[in-house]
C-alpha cells in the first residue's frame, strides 16, 4: 500500500510552514498450517509462518524557503516461525494443552538526511526466541469450567525513523511472561454464560513510543525500552442468548405476523477498578419481520452493534424493506444528553401502498 504524498500548510503572514510526508509498504506473508481432526481424542496443529516486507518513508519540513528537515528511510523486515500445539484429554474432566513457537526475525534500517545536516547511517539486528505455552481446563460439573495457563510473548525490536540521532534510533525487543486463571459458569439452560479471568503480565524491555525532549532542534519521536513493567488485572464477561430464534416474538402481539432470525450478544466490564467501563457486542442474523398485509416486509436482516460506555455504535444494519436493499450505520448516545447520529441509504424501497 501507499500513503501520500501528504502535505499540511500553515500560513504565517508572508511565509508558510510546510510539512510533507510519504509512506509506502510492500509486504508478503505466507502460513502453512496442518491440523488434526477436530473430533480426535488428541487434537493438534502445527505450521510454518514467513513474512518479508519493506517500508519506505520520507519527511520534509520547511518554513518559507528555509528547509528545517528533510530525510528518508528504508526498513527491511523478515520473519520466520515454526509453531505447534497439542491438546490431550486426561480422564473425563481435565484437558491439557502444550505448545511452542520458535521464531527468528531480522530488521534492517537505512536513514538518509539532507537537512538540517547531511548524514547517512544503517543498522541491522537479529533476534531468536523460543516461546512455550501450557494451559489446562477442568470441567467442574456440568455448568462450570476452571482454566489456567502460563506462556510467553515476544515483540521484535526495531528502529525509530524520525530521529536524526543515530544513537537513539535502535530499540530492543520486548519479552512478556503471562499467567492467567479463571472460570466459566453457564446457566442451567446455557443461555447465560459468565466468564471471569485474572491475569498478570511481567514485561522486560517494555517499548514506549512517544515524543522525547532530546535537546535537538525539535523533540524526537522515537521508541525506547523501559527495563521492566507489570500489569495485573481482571476481566468479567457475560454472554447472553436471550432468544434462540426470533420466531417466538410473533406470539407476543397480534401486530407481528411473523418474526425470524438468530441473535448473539456479550457484555464486558473493562478498565480500572475506580472507573470501569461497560462494553459489549450484539449480532443479528437472518432476521425477518412481517407486520401485516398493508405493511412492507423487513427481511434478510443482519446487524452488528457495539456498546462502549454510553455510546452504542451501529457498525452495520442491512436488510431489505419491501424487496429493496437498505443499509444503516452510525451511533446512539445515552445518558443525561442523549443523541443520535445515523445515516441510511437504500434503493427501490417499498414503504407502503
Amino acid at each position: 500500500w501507499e500513503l501520500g504524498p501528504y502535505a499540511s500548510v500553515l500560513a504565517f503572514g508572508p511565509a508558510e510552514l510546510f510539512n510533507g510526508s510519504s509512506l509506502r509498504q510492500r509486504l508478503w506473508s505466507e502460513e502453512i498450517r496442518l491440523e488434526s481432526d477436530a473430533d480426535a481424542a488428541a487434537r493438534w496443529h502445527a505450521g510454518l509462518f514467513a513474512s518479508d516486507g519493506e517500508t519506505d518513508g520520507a519527511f520534509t519540513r520547511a518554513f518559507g524557503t528555509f528547509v528545517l528537515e528533510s530525510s528518508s528511510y528504508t526498513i527491511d523486515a523478515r520473519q520466520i516461525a515454526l509453531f505447534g500445539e497439542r491438546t490431550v484429554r486426561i480422564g473425563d474432566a481435565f484437558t491439557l494443552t502444550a505448545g511452542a513457537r520458535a521464531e527468528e526475525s531480522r530488521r534492517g534500517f537505512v536513514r538518509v538526511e539532507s537537512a538540517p545536516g547531511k548524514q547517512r547511517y544503517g543498522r541491522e539486528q537479529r533476534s531468536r526466541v523460543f516461546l512455550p505455552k501450557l494451559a489446562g481446563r477442568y470441567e467442574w460439573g456440568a455448568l462450570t469450567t476452571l482454566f489456567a495457563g502460563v506462556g510467553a510473548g515476544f515483540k521484535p525490536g526495531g528502529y525509530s525513523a524520525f530521529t536524526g540521532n543515530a544513537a537513539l534510533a535502535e530499540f530492543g525487543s520486548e519479552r512478556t511472561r503471562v499467567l492467567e486463571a479463571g472460570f466459566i459458569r453457564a446457566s442451567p439452560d446455557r443461555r447465560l454464560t459468565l466468564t471471569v479471568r485474572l491475569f498478570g503480565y511481567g514485561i522486560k524491555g517494555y517499548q514506549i513510543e512517544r515524543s522525547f525532549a532530546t535537546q535537538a532542534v525539535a523533540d524526537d519521536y522515537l521508541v525506547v525500552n523501559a527495563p521492566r513493567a507489570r500489569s495485573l488485572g481482571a476481566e468479567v464477561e457475560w454472554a447472553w442468548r436471550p432468544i434462540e430464534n426470533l420466531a417466538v416474538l410473533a406470539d407476543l402481539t397480534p401486530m407481528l405476523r411473523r418474526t425470524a432470525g438468530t441473535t448473539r450478544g456479550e457484555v464486558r466490564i473493562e478498565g480500572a477498578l475506580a472507573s470501569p467501563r461497560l462494553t459489549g457486542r450484539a449480532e443479528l442474523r437472518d432476521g425477518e419481520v412481517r407486520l401485516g398485509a398493508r405493511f412492507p416486509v423487513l427481511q434478510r436482516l443482519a446487524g452488528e452493534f457495539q456498546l462502549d460506555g454510553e455510546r452504542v455504535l451501529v457498525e452495520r444494519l442491512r436488510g431489505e424493506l419491501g424487496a429493496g436493499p437498505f443499509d444503516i450505520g452510525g451511533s446512539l448516545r445515552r445518558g443525561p444528553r442523549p443523541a443520535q447520529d445515523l445515516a441510511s441509504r437504500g434503493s427501490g424501497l417499498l414503504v407502503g401502498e
Side-chain angles (χ1 to χ4, degrees):
W1 54 264
E2 187 169 352
L3 178 66
Y6 168 80
S8 65
V9 180
L10 298 176
F12 293 92
E16 295 179 336
L17 178 62
F18 172 83
N19 290 283
S21 63
S22 63
L23 186 65
R24 182 180 63 178
Q25 184 179 72
R26 296 182 295 273
L27 178 64
W28 168 88
S29 64
E30 184 70 30
E31 179 176 296
I32 301 174
R33 184 184 180 99
L34 302 175
E35 296 184 354
S36 66
D37 192 326
D39 298 326
R43 302 186 306 273
W44 61 268
H45 70 260
L48 168 68
F49 173 82
S51 68
D52 188 359
E54 181 181 275
T55 302
D56 298 300
F59 180 76
T60 301
R61 174 178 294 170
F63 186 72
T65 59
F66 180 68
V67 180
L68 301 173
E69 180 181 349
S70 179
S71 62
S72 63
Y73 67 90
T74 299
I75 299 177
D76 291 317
R78 294 181 181 179
Q79 181 182 17
I80 185 168
L82 294 170
F83 59 89
E85 186 175 291
R86 182 179 177 87
T87 300
V88 180
R89 193 171 185 87
I90 303 174
D92 296 331
F94 185 70
T95 301
L96 181 66
T97 299
R101 179 184 179 94
E103 179 180 315
E104 181 182 72
S105 61
R106 184 190 70 83
R107 297 287 190 275
F109 177 67
V110 175
R111 188 178 192 272
V112 179
E113 181 179 295
S114 56
K118 293 185 178 295
Q119 65 170 333
R120 183 184 189 278
Y121 63 88
R123 298 287 189 273
E124 182 175 313
Q125 63 173 250
R126 297 176 181 267
S127 58
R128 294 178 179 177
V129 66
F130 179 78
L131 306 173
K133 170 188 174 182
L134 184 66
R137 296 173 69 92
Y138 179 74
E139 298 176 7
W140 190 21
L143 303 176
T144 304
T145 301
L146 308 177
F147 62 88
V150 294
F154 176 76
K155 182 189 292 187
Y159 300 93
S160 302
F162 296 103
T163 176
N165 191 331
L168 300 177
E170 184 173 352
F171 59 91
S173 59
E174 178 181 296
R175 297 173 182 265
T176 305
R177 291 175 294 177
V178 181
L179 172 63
E180 68 173 22
F183 68 87
I184 303 171
R185 176 70 178 182
S187 61
D189 59 1
R190 299 187 181 276
R191 294 189 184 276
L192 181 64
T193 302
L194 169 65
T195 302
V196 177
R197 188 175 75 94
L198 307 176
F199 60 86
Y201 301 141
I203 306 172
K204 182 179 179 181
Y206 181 60
Q207 297 175 1
I208 302 174
E209 181 178 356
R210 50 162 286 185
S211 294
F212 291 89
T214 59
Q215 298 181 354
V217 176
D219 290 350
D220 279 324
Y221 188 82
L222 46 86
V223 180
V224 300
N225 292 95
R228 53 190 169 272
R230 183 177 63 180
S231 176
L232 303 174
E235 290 182 351
V236 180
E237 176 181 325
W238 286 276
W240 181 35
R241 292 186 303 158
I243 301 173
E244 185 70 24
N245 193 307
L246 294 179
V248 299
L249 294 179
D251 299 330
L252 301 181
T253 172
M255 291 184 58
L256 293 174
R257 300 288 298 275
R258 171 179 165 79
T259 56
T262 59
T263 60
R264 181 183 181 275
E266 62 182 32
V267 178
R268 299 167 65 93
I269 299 178
E270 300 178 337
L273 293 177
S275 57
R277 189 175 84 253
L278 194 65
T279 65
R281 294 187 63 84
E283 296 180 1
L284 170 66
R285 294 288 181 267
D286 300 323
E288 181 176 335
V289 178
R290 294 176 182 263
L291 297 177
R294 298 184 58 186
F295 298 92
V297 179
L298 277 168
Q299 58 186 354
R300 302 183 187 276
L301 296 175
E304 295 182 5
F305 312 89
Q306 183 171 344
L307 172 66
D308 187 359
E310 295 185 348
R311 191 169 67 110
V312 177
L313 179 63
V314 183
E315 295 183 346
R316 180 175 64 92
L317 178 59
R318 297 177 181 174
E320 293 183 0
L321 177 61
F326 70 90
D327 191 332
I328 298 176
S331 63
L332 304 170
R333 182 176 295 276
R334 57 188 181 87
R337 301 178 63 182
Q340 62 181 19
D341 182 11
L342 297 173
S344 62
R345 61 183 179 183
S347 61
L349 302 178
L350 177 62
V351 297
E353 297 180 359

